[in-house]
């Protein structure tokens, strides 16, 4: 098999696939490496028991949280985590790129502005087929192009909730969602979207929307089930010359002139730390000692709004969000967060959080609940970090921040949901095992002393290494990260094509 390429991209999630899509059709020979296989299309894709109870698709690897072993919510397949994501595609707010003072600290400014990403946000929305409506969100940033597709319409229960929220003075808005819905679309509006793989390719994931079209070009190649163990540099330590990979237990090296690391914030940091050498004693791209630090993953709580006399037959609920308190309750307050609908909870999903509750009670709750997701910003902290144990396993120390603000936001959300007509609101916070919104571990900036990457995500310490996943985030904001990763990855891919590889 060929072992020499112009560009090697490690990871086929949002970042890696977006870079590959910008390089498709160029003169560069590009290889995308993915540690996982293609996700099988099978009945279990939509089997709640298989997905949530048997963890059929979750990795079996063991990570540690300060010595406590746990099985992380990681999924290794072509397309990355977007094979299982809930299709939410939010732009960061314009203010999210600035320094923002929070109740328990400061969210730092980004080295780029919203305007730098704005055209790429529009391109990412187009590529992913995002459905939405600009201007309805009270915190909506400026946009130069409208959504190409109208928002997914509410089902009756949710339409009634939206109306009640408006009566109470709130401004709910259509949640931007990447699904192939509408005339001629694949989506059948099933209940098996959020946290499930899509059996009919209706979900706008990285494989379907970015990688498959890129692979139609002769210069793009994918190798799945290929795990990268480390990156190897030249003697001077200025250039990565090869990726050491393992396929079916056999190790080999793949060489390239340029490397793009997009393995996810945790695994990208771990790979850089694992690739240390005589020249790079603290790991690659880590002269600043920030690689693995400033880990963030949002403060999040699931909320079940229950009415004992009202059943909720909604199948696809991810159509409504609330940002009225994103920046706080009143002018001059510190930020609170976002509130958005979750996928429909079923009895099987409640077995883990409610193991002592009888099954009949869990079924009743699931049938009578509208399910929400309260999210607030997790501030970067240098002691919140990814590190490697002596045996090479990942250790995750999550230094929690901004929890008082999150508690206030959850309390406010309870009042919002009761005002929407649901007298009972149950809440369950997410812990270390949930790593869906991981970010911040290989931050970019303008100062090599305090950041690992420059504003185009090139490592300061190396001439030919880029890190393009949510690891580059200096802050996490309070919205889902996928669209921002895609926008920056498209921007970086365009830069590579026009300025670096030309």
């Amino acid at each position: 098999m060929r072992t020499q390429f112009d560009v090697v991209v490690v990871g086929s999630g949002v970042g890696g696939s977006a870079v590959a899509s910008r390089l498709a059709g160029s003169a560069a020979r590009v290889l995308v490496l993915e540690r996982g296989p293609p996700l099988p299309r099978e009945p279990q894709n939509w089997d709640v028991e298989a997905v949530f109870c048997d963890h059929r698709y979750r990795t079996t690897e063991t990570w540690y949280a300060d010595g406590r072993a746990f099985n992380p919510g990681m999924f290794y397949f072509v397309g990355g985590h977007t094979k299982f994501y809930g299709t939410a595609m939010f732009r960061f707010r314009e203010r999210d790129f600035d320094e923002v003072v929070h109740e328990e600290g400061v969210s730092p400014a980004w080295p780029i502005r919203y305007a730098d990403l704005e055209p790429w946000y529009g391109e990412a929305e187009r590529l992913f087929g995002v459905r939405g409506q600009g201007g309805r969100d009270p915190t909506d940033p400026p946009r130069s192009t409208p959504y190409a597709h109208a928002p997914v319409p509410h089902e009756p229960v949710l339409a009634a909730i939206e109306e009640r929220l408006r009566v109470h003075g709130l401004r709910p808005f259509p949640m931007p969602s990447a699904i192939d819905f509408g005339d001629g679309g694949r989506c059948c509006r099933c209940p098996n979207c959020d946290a499930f793989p899509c059996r009919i390719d209706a979900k706008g994931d990285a494989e379907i929307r970015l990688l498959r079209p890129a692979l139609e070009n002769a210069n793009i190649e994918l190798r799945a089930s290929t795990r990268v163990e480390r990156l190897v540099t030249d003697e001077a330590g200025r250039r990565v010359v090869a990726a050491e990979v393992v396929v079916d237990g056999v190790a080999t090296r793949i060489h390239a002139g340029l490397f793009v690391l997009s393995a996810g914030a945790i695994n990208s940091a771990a790979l850089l730390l694992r690739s240390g050498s005589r020249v790079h004693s603290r790991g690659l791209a880590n002269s600043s000692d920030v690689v693995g630090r400033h880990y963030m993953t949002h403060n999040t709580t699931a909320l079940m709004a229950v009415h004992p006399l009202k059943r909720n037959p909604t199948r696809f609920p991810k159509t409504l969000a609330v940002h009225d308190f994103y920046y706080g309750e009143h002018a001059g307050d510190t930020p609170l967060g976002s509130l958005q609908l979750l996928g429909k909870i079923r009895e099987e999903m409640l077995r883990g959080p409610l193991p002592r509750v009888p099954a009949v009670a869990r079924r009743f709750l699931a049938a009578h609940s509208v399910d929400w997701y309260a999210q607030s910003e997790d501030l970067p902290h240098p002691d919140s970090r990814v590190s490697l144990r002596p045996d090479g396993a990942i250790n995750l120390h999550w230094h929690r921040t901004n929890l008082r603000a999150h508690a206030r936001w959850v309390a406010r959300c309870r009042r919002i949901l009761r005002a929407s007509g649901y007298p009972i609101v149950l809440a369950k916070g997410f812990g270390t095992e949930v790593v869906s919104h991981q970010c911040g571990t290989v931050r970019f900036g303008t100062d090599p002393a305090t950041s690992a990457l420059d504003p185009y995500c090139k490592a300061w310490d190396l001439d030919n290494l880029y890190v393009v996943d949510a690891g580059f985030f200096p802050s996490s904001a309070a919205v889902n990260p996928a669209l921002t990763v895609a926008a920056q990855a498209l921007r970086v891919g365009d830069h590579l094509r026009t300025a670096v590889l030309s």
Side-chain angles (χ1 to χ4, degrees), residues 184-204:
R186 295 186 182 94
C187 181
C188 61
R189 201 161 186 155
C190 77
N192 305 313
C193 192
D194 196 352
F196 292 84
C198 185
R199 285 179 60 189
I200 56 176
D201 291 349
K203 182 182 291 190

Side-chain angles (χ1 to χ4, degrees), residues 2-9 23 28-31 231-234 238-243 253-261 458 462-466 496 500-501:
R2 184 185 178 101
T3 59
Q4 181 68 53
F5 293 83
D6 298 308
V7 182
V8 164
V9 178
L23 299 180
R29 180 85 178 190
V30 180
L31 176 65
L231 300 175
V232 181
T233 65
D234 59 13
R238 286 302 309 177
R239 297 182 63 82
V240 178
V241 295
R253 287 188 175 186
I254 297 176
H255 301 263
L258 189 147
F259 290 81
V260 178
L261 178 55
K458 189 189 82 66
L462 295 127
D463 298 330
N464 66 336
L465 175 65
Y466 292 73
L496 295 178
V500 177
L501 297 170

Side-chain angles (χ1 to χ4, degrees), residues 440-479:
T441 59
V442 196
R443 53 166 41 182
F444 71 170
T446 57
D447 184 354
T450 57
S451 60
L453 311 172
D454 75 9
Y456 275 105
C457 290
K458 189 189 82 66
W460 292 110
D461 299 347
L462 295 127
D463 298 330
N464 66 336
L465 175 65
Y466 292 73
V467 182
V468 192
D469 51 36
F472 72 78
F473 284 27
S475 66
S476 63
V479 291

Side-chain angles (χ1 to χ4, degrees), residues 303 405-418:
L303 298 159
H406 184 65
R408 288 196 296 112
W409 177 224
V410 170
R412 164 59 74 174
C413 289
R414 286 178 181 272
R415 296 198 294 274
I416 291 172
L417 299 182
R418 291 189 185 110

